Amino acid sequence: MSLLIGLIPHLKALHLAMLILWCGGLFALPVMLAWHDPAITQSDYTRMRRATHFTYTLCVTPAAVVAIASGTLLIFLREVFVTWMFAKLVAVACLVLLHVWVGYAVVAVAERRGVQQAAHRPGWPLAFLVSVILVILTLVLAKPELGEVPMPDWLTTPRGQPLPFDVPRR
């Protein structure tokens, strides 16, 4: 375990590098998708489609996977089980949703040349991305005391009833 604790700075550096690559790709891809104009030549269209496809599949998606995996490992190594971290995880889920939408748009552009160009304007995805990144940075850098998340009593009070399945014994 002490070996893993010694790797925390390196794991943080990997996590930050992959986040920069992931978020940078999420900035670039909506702009690249906006360049898919039905008026361009077939060779230009093919070049643009390949660029968006390779950027998404070979750069942005692997960076997202490594960022999430390294972040998850950091949570458990540092034992950061506090409310602001759970709020950050909700914001990361928003990044994942944007990532999925961008992937859908990349596939849609590849399958239907020039169809529904208005859906691929970069304004709202970039505004959403900037707001999510600002929320994440605020939570990570400020580490605000958010208090406890209000939960109903039936979730926080032991009921004294047996589980509906057998618990293995050691």
Side-chain angles (χ1 to χ4, degrees):
M1 186 66 170
S2 64
L3 174 66
L4 287 177
I5 299 298
L7 290 176
I8 286 177
H10 304 289
L11 198 56
K12 280 186 180 181
L14 175 68
H15 181 65
L16 284 173
M18 292 300 107
L19 277 174
I20 290 169
L21 190 58
W22 183 23
C23 292
L26 289 179
F27 272 113
L29 281 165
V31 174
M32 292 171 72
L33 288 169
W35 291 344
H36 288 278
D37 186 4
I40 63 176
T41 65
Q42 182 61 44
S43 62
D44 287 339
Y45 178 80
T46 301
R47 183 175 48 81
M48 294 298 293
R49 187 189 59 75
R50 284 185 180 156
T52 54
H53 175 76
F54 288 131
T55 300
Y56 184 79
T57 58
L58 298 179
C59 183
V60 178
T61 299
V65 170
V66 174
I68 291 170
S70 61
T72 303
L73 189 55
L74 280 169
I75 289 170
F76 286 101
L77 286 176
R78 298 293 307 236
E79 297 179 0
V80 188
F81 304 111
V82 291
T83 308
W84 68 263
M85 178 56 75
F86 297 120
K88 178 194 169 217
L89 292 177
V90 170
V92 170
C94 291
L95 279 182
V96 170
L97 289 174
L98 181 62
H99 186 94
V100 169
W101 178 85
V102 168
Y104 170 77
V106 167
V107 169
V109 164
E111 291 179 354
R112 299 182 302 269
R113 179 179 180 214
V115 175
Q116 298 177 352
Q117 285 301 314
H120 301 298
R121 294 200 175 143
W124 80 262
L126 295 180
F128 181 73
L129 178 60
V130 167
S131 63
V132 170
I133 289 173
L134 288 176
V135 166
I136 290 173
L137 285 174
T138 301
L139 290 169
V140 169
L141 296 176
K143 295 178 179 49
E145 281 295 324
L146 299 177
E148 291 295 318
V149 176
M151 299 290 241
D153 286 337
W154 61 271
L155 280 177
T156 59
T157 306
R159 297 289 181 206
Q161 298 174 347
L163 295 173
F165 53 86
D166 288 333
V167 178
R169 307 233 184 251
R170 290 187 181 210

